[in-house]
Amino acid sequence: MASVQCEMKDVQLTLEEKACLDEMIKQAERSLEPHELLAGALNNQTVGPLSIVATKIFAGQVVRNFPNPLCNLDGFAMSGTFVTGVKAAVVYSGKNKAGVECGWLLAFNDTNNAVGVRVFAECGLKGKFRNINWAQVEQKLEKSGTIAKAYDLETGTSLYAGICGPTGKSAAGAVFLG
């Protein structure tokens, strides 16, 4: 069964999801250092730790690495030039509530061009993320909005994320479930 992907700008979150995401973004904003263009806060609400299986840096540099493993609540940060900004993706894997190996993909963008700030999410069986087409992820990211939500019916996994702030000083938050 395919993932239900929300790639448009009109993503709907529940009140609980919105409150949790707002808190994650506030935490990221508090950790944003002057030399960083983007700070992110990640919240793992799955049954166990998540491990990185892939990352892609399209633009910018990592200042604070994506947490590996992601056990509960942790963060990362990136910097870059005002012209190129930052654009990256990370894929985590772990087990869902049924003990099945799953994957969660989070991509984000903060660039000083027509794309601006964007976030994209995808989740499902781990095998779905074996041979990632990064160009396709980048295209989906550029068509997405400031909030993303993915839910996979087959695995019961989900991921919701948001990004906000002026270009060049963004905060992102994401919550991994399953």
Side-chain angles (χ1 to χ4, degrees), residues 90-106:
V90 60
V91 178
Y92 281 99
S93 72
K95 293 186 177 181
N96 67 1
K97 292 175 184 168
V100 176
E101 285 288 330
C102 298
W104 293 261
L105 181 147
L106 173 66

Side-chain angles (χ1 to χ4, degrees), residues 48-172:
L50 300 178
S51 299
I52 293 176
V53 291
T55 59
K56 176 69 174 175
I57 309 300
F58 298 99
Q61 302 85 35
V62 174
V63 176
R64 284 182 278 141
N65 287 322
F66 296 109
N68 192 23
L70 175 58
C71 295
N72 294 306
L73 181 61
D74 213 333
F76 67 93
M78 294 190 67
S79 67
T81 67
F82 185 71
V83 175
T84 60
V86 296
K87 184 189 301 183
V90 60
V91 178
Y92 281 99
S93 72
K95 293 186 177 181
N96 67 1
K97 292 175 184 168
V100 176
E101 285 288 330
C102 298
W104 293 261
L105 181 147
L106 173 66
F108 54 87
N109 184 71
D110 180 353
T111 57
N112 189 31
N113 60 24
V115 176
V117 293
R118 306 260 189 255
V119 66
F120 172 74
E122 195 168 357
C123 58
L125 290 170
K126 184 178 179 182
K128 177 180 184 175
F129 302 100
R130 279 204 184 100
N131 296 309
I132 300 166
N133 181 335
W134 292 113
Q136 189 176 60
V137 170
E138 189 173 26
Q139 288 174 352
K140 289 178 179 181
L141 175 61
E142 290 176 1
K143 293 177 184 173
S144 63
T146 57
I147 296 174
K149 184 176 181 180
Y151 177 73
D152 184 73
L153 297 172
E154 182 178 2
T155 62
T157 56
S158 63
L159 168 60
Y160 59 93
I163 186 169
C164 67
T167 300
K169 278 296 177 190
S170 298

Side-chain angles (χ1 to χ4, degrees), residues 19-60:
C20 187
L21 191 55
D22 286 347
E23 184 54 40
M24 299 300 302
I25 290 172
K26 284 178 190 171
Q27 181 164 340
E29 286 172 340
R30 288 190 296 268
S31 72
L32 192 60
E33 298 288 334
H35 64 283
E36 298 169 349
L37 294 183
L38 182 137
L42 306 176
N43 187 347
N44 175 8
Q45 294 183 6
T46 68
V47 295
L50 300 178
S51 299
I52 293 176
V53 291
T55 59
K56 176 69 174 175
I57 309 300
F58 298 99

